[in-house]
Amino acid sequence: MKNFKLVVLIALVLNVVIVSCSSDDDDKVEPSDNVMTIEGEQINIETGIISEYGENINGSFDWDVSLFSEGFIINIAEPDNASGTGSTLYLSLNTNSALGLAPGTYTFANESSEFKLVSAHSNANFNAETGDGNHFIATSGTVTIAGPGTNQVINVNLVGENGNAITASYNFVLKAV
């Protein structure tokens, strides 16, 4: 019986030591997928859409991605007629594929050529009906695309004209329009 008590006591001590030595990283909040950060505010992304605008003169292909927070009603048949209020991120990307965004890094440029981000802007507290809200235009940065088809992982790292970061991580199906 004495040995049993000793074994239980050792087991309890080891349990306390193991728990107290566990990683302090457990308290850190990791960014989740499907979020964007505008002016330091992290916002969940509810919907992502992709629009195809065809071939450019130089043989690259124009694809636009729009990410929307909750609060919007988006008619996929007419995405320009969205209603509601929330936050958005728009990316005009040019790739080498007529079938969709090719995996790779798209760098900010003032030209429509392969693997270029031609323009990007974000909106916070944006009212789709009136156009009111806080608008931010990106002036530099990159967008990284991984994965096939419309089920792609998109990572956005931009700098706005005011010097603030505009970021996003999206890992869900893009609805084609």
Side-chain angles (χ1 to χ4, degrees):
M1 185 72 158
K2 186 177 181 180
N3 287 340
F4 179 72
K5 288 181 182 179
L6 185 58
V7 170
V8 171
L9 181 61
I10 290 171
L12 286 172
V13 169
L14 283 176
N15 190 28
V16 169
V17 169
I18 290 169
V19 169
S20 65
C21 292
S22 69
S23 173
D24 291 336
D25 292 341
D26 295 341
D27 296 333
K28 290 183 181 176
V29 176
E30 295 295 325
S32 64
D33 290 333
N34 304 325
V35 296
M36 59 184 147
T37 303
I38 302 171
E39 292 294 298
E41 180 182 355
Q42 188 173 352
I43 304 149
N44 290 328
I45 300 170
E46 184 79 18
T47 303
I49 62 173
I50 186 167
S51 305
E52 186 246 331
Y53 287 97
E55 188 173 3
N56 296 312
I57 292 173
N58 65 5
S60 65
F61 297 87
D62 186 1
W63 291 88
D64 293 359
V65 172
S66 298
L67 304 175
F68 296 89
S69 71
E70 65 181 356
F72 290 102
I73 298 170
I74 302 163
N75 178 351
I76 296 300
E78 296 181 55
D80 292 335
N81 292 329
S83 62
T85 301
S87 297
T88 66
L89 177 59
Y90 166 81
L91 308 165
S92 179
L93 301 161
N94 285 262
T95 188
N96 61 352
S97 175
L99 302 176
L101 292 172
T105 299
Y106 295 72
T107 57
F108 202 89
N110 292 325
E111 61 187 74
S112 295
S113 61
E114 295 176 1
F115 296 97
K116 298 297 180 192
L117 168 64
V118 178
S119 75
H121 63 267
S122 61
N123 300 292
N125 300 314
F126 178 68
N127 183 314
E129 287 91 11
T130 65
D132 293 334
N134 300 316
H135 309 282
F136 306 99
I137 297 172
T139 57
S140 64
T142 61
V143 175
T144 305
I145 306 291
T150 57
N151 192 16
Q152 297 178 308
V153 177
I154 301 171
N155 287 300
V156 179
N157 289 295
L158 305 173
V159 176
E161 61 190 350
N162 60 1
N164 291 340
I166 301 168
T167 65
S169 175
Y170 187 75
N171 185 9
F172 198 64
V173 175
L174 291 169
K175 297 176 183 175
V177 294

